[in-house]
């Protein structure tokens, strides 16, 4: 039997980070070349053929359209290549949910794409990267992984891109899956899916954007006024995501300014600064009257990604934007 053929796309992050000391605190994300990471992996005796392509060697805080475009092109090519069975992307954890969701929105689902990272650098005591990578290989090689869109493998869990969220700054168990739980539990020796694929036979939902429209996240705080909204409009924001209080709320003067922005053709999505929970329409805030959109289950970072994709596709009408957020 031929071993599964996996394309590994490297971008950097802590999984490719070295501290130079097993017990030191500081390190540089993306310091190690992908070849060095793969050399360590070869020693694991993984049951797959790995082909490597380095897209970047950066901390994921610096990822942007250029790297996303290169990742999208490489994934799209691999999707059409009969020699490739699955794709793994090594990635920093800080923005893994954004990259995963952007690719999930813009790629077809017929081959698995698995993002994997680490919370501890490769040479730290108790490093988690090699285990996470071995788990990612298990997932990307699995016959039942197709039709589930882009996934994130961390801490022995497989999370759907739409649900994954970084919820801890340093714990190896840093990711949560909201509102649906994990898709599967994985170890280097076992993989248990909890349900059937949720995107069987689905094509790409949106075209990959030609560029990124300026969409800002505005975090609400007690006592703030409307000036940050005016400032965002002043620098040409094409969309605004409110990381609001509770169910996506903000002081009255801020909501009024956001309503003016929406009336002027700048779509405004209300998400929440709270760790978890839905933001529904017309609960505390009258979205119908103010022309605003409720983010539903998407947190501010992923709401921004979806809004950028929608605006780049020419979708700015609040009802159409709301329909896209309802779909999640
Ligand atoms: C990064 O996101 O590149 C740094 C943090 C990490 O990978 O965990």
């Amino acid at each position: 039997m031929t071993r599964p053929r996996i394309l590994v796309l490297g971008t950097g992050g802590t999984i490719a980070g070295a501290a130079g000391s097993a017990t030191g605190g500081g390190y540089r994300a993306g310091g190690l070349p992908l070849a060095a990471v793969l050399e360590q992996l070869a020693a694991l005796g993984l049951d797959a053929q790995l082909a490597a392509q380095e897209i970047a060697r950066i901390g994921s805080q610096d990822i942007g359209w250029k790297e996303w475009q290169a990742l999208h092109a490489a994934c799209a090519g691999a999707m059409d290549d009969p020699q490739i069975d699955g794709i793994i992307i090594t990635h920093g954890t800080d923005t893994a949910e954004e990259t995963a969701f952007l690719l999930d929105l813009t790629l077809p689902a017929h081959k698995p794409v698995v993002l994997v990272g680490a919370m501890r650098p490769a040479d730290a005591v108790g490093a988690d990267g090699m285990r996470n990578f071995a788990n990612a290989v298990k997932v990307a090689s699995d016959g039942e992984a197709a039709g589930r869109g882009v996934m994130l493998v961390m801490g022995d869990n497989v999370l759907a891109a739409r649900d994954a969220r970084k919820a801890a700054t340093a714990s190896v168990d840093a990711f949560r899956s909201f509102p649906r739980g994990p898709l599967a539990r994985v170890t280097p020796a076992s993989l248990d899916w909890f349900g059937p694929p949720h995107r069987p036979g689905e094509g790409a939902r949106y075209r990959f954007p030609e560029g990124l429209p300026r969409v800002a996240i505005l975090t609400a705080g007690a006592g703030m006024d409307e000036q940050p909204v005016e400032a965002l409009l002043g620098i040409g924001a094409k969309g605004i995501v409110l990381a609001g209080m509770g169910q996506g709320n903000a002081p009255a003067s801020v909501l009024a300014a956001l309503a003016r922005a929406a009336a002027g053709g700048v779509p405004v999505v209300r998400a929440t600064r709270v760790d978890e929970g839905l933001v529904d329409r017309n609960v505390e805030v009258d979205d119908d009257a103010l022309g605003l959109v409720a983010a539903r289950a998407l947190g501010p970072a992923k709401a921004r990604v979806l809004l950028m994709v929608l605006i780049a596709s020419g979708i700015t009408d609040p009802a159409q934007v709301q329909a896209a957020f309802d779909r999640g």
Side-chain angles (χ1 to χ4, degrees):
M1 207 178 85
T2 54
R3 292 187 301 158
R5 292 149 305 186
I6 309 294
L7 176 65
V8 182
L9 301 171
T11 69
T14 299
I15 193 167
S21 151
T23 53
Y27 72 98
R28 193 163 66 83
L32 293 176
L34 183 60
V37 178
L38 290 185
E39 209 171 291
Q40 295 181 36
L41 290 165
L44 300 178
L46 297 173
D47 196 18
Q49 300 173 56
L50 305 181
Q53 185 182 336
E54 193 159 72
I55 301 287
R57 261 173 71 187
I58 55 176
S60 73
Q61 68 279 0
D62 285 324
I63 212 142
W65 184 83
K66 182 165 74 78
E67 293 79 19
W68 281 335
Q69 200 271 341
L71 280 175
H72 185 271
C75 289
M79 293 257 174
D80 290 340
D81 182 349
Q83 303 296 321
I84 301 290
D85 298 307
I87 303 155
I88 292 177
I89 300 173
T90 59
H91 200 289
T93 60
D94 286 352
T95 62
E97 65 198 81
E98 282 145 276
T99 298
F101 190 46
L102 176 63
L103 294 176
D104 194 52
L105 292 169
T106 55
L107 285 170
H110 62 274
K111 284 186 189 175
V113 178
V114 180
L115 265 80
V116 65
M119 297 301 291
R120 297 176 180 155
D123 56 355
V125 64
D128 52 333
M130 288 301 107
R131 183 180 179 95
N132 289 342
F133 194 94
N135 288 345
V137 170
K138 187 101 188 145
V139 174
S141 309
D142 192 75
E144 288 183 54
R148 298 178 193 267
V150 178
M151 292 166 274
L152 180 68
V153 168
M154 287 291 293
D156 289 357
N157 284 315
V158 184
L159 314 177
R162 62 186 185 182
D163 296 331
R165 189 173 57 82
K166 188 171 183 179
T169 56
S171 152
V172 291
D173 185 23
F175 280 80
R176 300 285 173 269
S177 183
F178 177 83
R180 294 151 285 244
L183 298 176
R185 187 85 181 147
V186 61
T187 73
S190 67
L191 173 57
D192 293 290
W193 297 105
F194 299 144
H198 55 281
R199 290 186 57 190
E202 222 186 78
R205 289 194 202 163
Y206 301 98
R207 282 171 66 93
F208 186 83
E210 294 293 320
L212 294 181
R214 188 189 291 273
V215 173
I217 299 174
L218 177 68
T219 302
M224 76 186 285
D225 63 19
E226 70 281 11
Q227 288 201 4
V229 180
E230 310 296 354
L232 290 177
L233 298 175
I235 59 165
K238 299 285 181 275
I240 299 175
V241 173
L242 174 71
M245 302 141 166
Q247 287 212 32
N249 219 335
S253 66
V254 176
L255 288 177
L258 291 172
R260 286 195 295 278
V266 174
V268 177
V269 175
R270 294 186 306 108
T272 177
R273 65 180 196 178
V274 174
D275 279 353
E276 215 164 82
L278 297 177
V279 174
D280 284 320
R281 282 190 73 78
N282 301 324
V283 178
E284 285 181 83
V285 176
D286 190 344
D287 294 297
D288 290 347
L290 300 178
L292 308 181
V293 171
R296 308 297 313 283
L298 294 180
K302 276 185 289 185
R304 174 174 169 267
V305 168
L306 178 54
L307 189 54
M308 287 193 296
V309 168
L310 292 172
I311 292 170
S313 308
I315 299 170
T316 58
D317 171 65
Q320 286 177 287
V321 175
Q322 185 65 66
F325 275 83
D326 287 344
R327 192 174 178 197

